[in-house]
Amino acid sequence: MAKRVAIVGAGATGLASIKCCLEEGLKPTCFERSDDLGGLWRFTTKVCSVRKRPDFTATGQWEVVTLCEGKQESAIFDAVMVCTGFFTNPNLPLDSFPGINNFKGQYFHSREYKHPDIFRDKSVLVIGMGNSGTDIAVEASHLAKKVFLSTTGGAWVISRVFDSGYPWDMVFMTRFQNTFRNSLPTPIVNWLIAKRMNSWFNHANYGLIPEDRVQLREPVLNDELPGRIITGKVLIKPRVKEVKENSVVFSNTPKEEPIDIIVFATGYTFAFPFLDETVVKVEDGQASLYKYIFPAHLPKPTLAVIGLIKPLGSLLPTGDTQARWAVRVLKGVIKLPPSSTMIEEVNERKKNKPSGFGLYYCKALETDYITYIDELLTAINAKPNLFSLLLTDPRLALAIFFGPCTPYQFRLTGPGKWEGARNAIMTQWDRTFKATKTRIVQESPSLFASLLKVFSFLALLVAIFLIFL
Ligand SMILES: Cc1cc2nc3c(=O)[nH]c(=O)nc-3n(C[C@H](O)[C@H](O)[C@H](O)COP(=O)(O)OP(=O)(O)OC[C@H]3O[C@@H](n4cnc5c(N)ncnc54)[C@H](O)[C@@H]3O)c2cc1C
Ligand SMILES: NC(=O)c1ccc[n+]([C@@H]2O[C@H](COP(=O)([O-])OP(=O)(O)OC[C@H]3O[C@@H](n4cnc5c(N)ncnc54)[C@H](OP(=O)(O)O)[C@@H]3O)[C@@H](O)[C@H]2O)c1
């Protein structure tokens, strides 16, 4: 009989998990507490608790207790996939803002923000220069009287429109770039990154330069921010020293700035209230999960957490790949190492020791996107084999190595293989620019460019020949 899998949450990772279960012949039931998306579907069904069955050491089974329209139900599952996301509990650090209780204006967390109309003709302070804070400050600046964006650490700001107008992630996130970065010492990589980021605009001149340039913090993606700063619509400020009744004092100056609205874009915390701490314990913003997925200490690997990771890349293909790997484990096709080995690996990762090469990811859960995904793909035989492709399909091999690391690459082989993957890779640039080339123009071919292409191809052949010599 097919194993029954409970999937908690029907966000992006929950949906991917349902698909992966179905592909592997498992029987998923998805519980979603909201009334929006759902799986095999139990809308508005909140999972209240997931507990090990008394015979867990033998069966690995779980008892899942749910609440729907005031009615509690319980069911037994062979496995559980926790897909509840980690941007759910707003982090509102009011204690760090002396005087906030006396503030007579309005304040709220970025999660509650819906529309910029509330900022019309107001003086607005946005606290936190993550992606939420920056997006909100920029939107507010079109209507507000004045907008301040307070940052404690600064950040690199990247334009989505990257080199020669290509989308930034399609240029930055390639296997070639990743291999190149990871083979250089960290200080050199950081220097190159700083040079690259400052080539758009000098971050120091805009008060944005990250204070810590050794450890990489998530960059901010925003095309408009520098334009809003240079036109005086957004004013970058350091940390808030004190909040008064109708104003705020920043740490670099005694001057009070009148403020009507404060937006705390101070991020999120996460927890698994339906799980016992003996199953998954959250400490210092992370949990002891093998490969960021399986609790390392459980005698049976029948509970997987999907999406609890911060790759420098999209979370969606990362969650999808995690689900593909995890269902192979749940099905018993992949065997995990002994608990002691997994615990050792998890503890080693938690120490967060810099390797000395490539980017240095500083915060809990942060990881290198391609390296991590490749690790999982290797375990399910889905990592594209570039050397054999070079012999059998060199055009595809080159597109995979030098082109964007799009998730089609992960579907060329292995479980969940997709026949359309090759064509999708070879046509990805055409499809990307179909959206922008809405006025068709004739480009005259340049003789120099054609010669350069021929020369590059010959150089590549020589390089390949030398490698195999
Ligand atoms: C403002 C914002 C913008 C973002 N933009 C991007 C982006 O551009 N690209 C990107 O890759 N990522 C982005 N992210 C990150 C984004 O959250 C994830 O990529 C994606 O939503 C993760 O999907 P998930 O399924 O893990 O979590 P979620 O989408 O949060 O889904 C979790 C689901 O679990 C349900 N749930 C929780 N607890 C229970 C329970 N006890 N019982 C039943 N159901 C439960 C929730 O209702 C929810 O539907 C953004 C995040 C934020 C906050
Ligand atoms: N357009 C998009 O793609 C988009 C939009 C929104 C969110 N997201 C994603 O959603 C996730 C959450 O983003 P987020 O911006 O909400 O949160 P975040 O990335 O965690 O940023 C929160 C910021 O708040 C500040 N902060 C935190 N604690 C503070 C404290 N005690 N005092 C003062 N400042 C404090 C810090 O900024 P400083 O260091 O600057 O002080 C911190 O970087 C991210 O992964 C993000 O990429 C994406």
Side-chain angles (χ1 to χ4, degrees), residues 102-334:
N102 305 324
F103 184 58
K104 293 239 166 83
Q106 190 186 356
Y107 72 81
F108 53 87
H109 188 267
S110 57
R111 189 182 147 92
E112 289 167 49
Y113 167 73
K114 297 284 178 255
H115 200 275
D117 267 353
I118 47 158
F119 299 131
R120 192 177 295 277
D121 301 326
K122 304 273 191 219
S123 292
V124 180
L125 165 64
V126 180
I127 295 171
M129 211 190 117
N131 276 295
S132 298
T134 309
D135 279 353
I136 293 172
V138 165
E139 280 198 22
S141 71
H142 292 277
L143 292 169
K145 189 158 63 180
K146 221 167 183 185
V147 176
F148 299 94
L149 177 56
S150 159
T151 173
T152 55
W156 294 123
V157 181
I158 303 183
S159 168
R160 286 182 175 85
V161 185
F162 217 52
D163 295 351
S164 307
Y166 293 108
W168 89 274
D169 48 352
M170 290 179 81
V171 177
F172 190 84
M173 211 53 79
T174 69
R175 288 179 180 278
F176 169 69
Q177 294 260 359
N178 214 48
T179 311
F180 178 66
R181 280 193 291 270
N182 289 344
S183 57
L184 293 176
T186 304
I188 296 182
V189 178
N190 288 340
W191 177 77
L192 288 172
I193 293 273
K195 209 164 140 23
R196 194 71 183 282
M197 299 299 165
N198 283 326
S199 66
W200 183 27
F201 66 94
N202 185 323
H203 282 59
N205 290 343
Y206 285 64
L208 295 172
I209 199 153
E211 266 172 30
D212 185 350
R213 263 159 280 162
V214 177
Q215 307 183 37
L216 185 80
R217 117 176 211 183
E218 187 184 351
V220 168
L221 277 175
N222 202 293
D223 295 278
E224 279 191 75
L225 183 66
R228 302 314 286 168
I229 296 174
I230 206 164
T231 50
K233 305 286 184 202
V234 172
L235 299 148
I236 302 296
K237 289 283 176 184
R239 72 169 65 242
V240 171
K241 191 170 157 204
E242 192 186 351
V243 182
K244 301 205 165 177
E245 282 189 358
N246 297 300
S247 62
V248 156
V249 182
F250 294 100
S251 65
N252 63 341
T253 155
K255 189 179 164 212
E256 285 181 31
E257 297 287 356
I259 296 292
D260 302 308
I261 301 179
I262 303 178
V263 183
F264 284 89
T266 39
Y268 297 84
T269 58
F270 66 91
F272 301 105
F274 49 86
L275 281 176
D276 194 90
E277 278 203 348
T278 56
V279 178
V280 177
K281 188 172 180 187
V282 178
E283 260 178 329
D284 303 325
Q286 58 186 320
S288 295
L289 300 173
Y290 178 65
K291 305 277 181 220
Y292 296 92
I293 299 173
F294 284 96
H297 62 287
L298 287 184
K300 292 270 178 188
T302 54
L303 182 132
V305 181
I306 306 296
L308 189 61
I309 186 163
K310 294 182 184 174
L312 181 66
S314 178
L315 195 58
L316 310 185
T318 312
D320 182 46
T321 312
Q322 286 187 321
R324 269 171 92 194
W325 179 75
V327 292
R328 301 290 279 179
V329 176
L330 298 180
K331 210 178 154 185
V333 182
I334 293 175

Side-chain angles (χ1 to χ4, degrees), residues 8-14 31-33 45-47 83-85 87 274 314-316:
V8 190
T13 58
F31 301 99
E32 169 55 55
R33 66 182 172 189
T45 306
K46 181 181 167 190
V47 169
C83 308
T84 47
F87 298 121
F274 49 86
S314 178
L315 195 58
L316 310 185

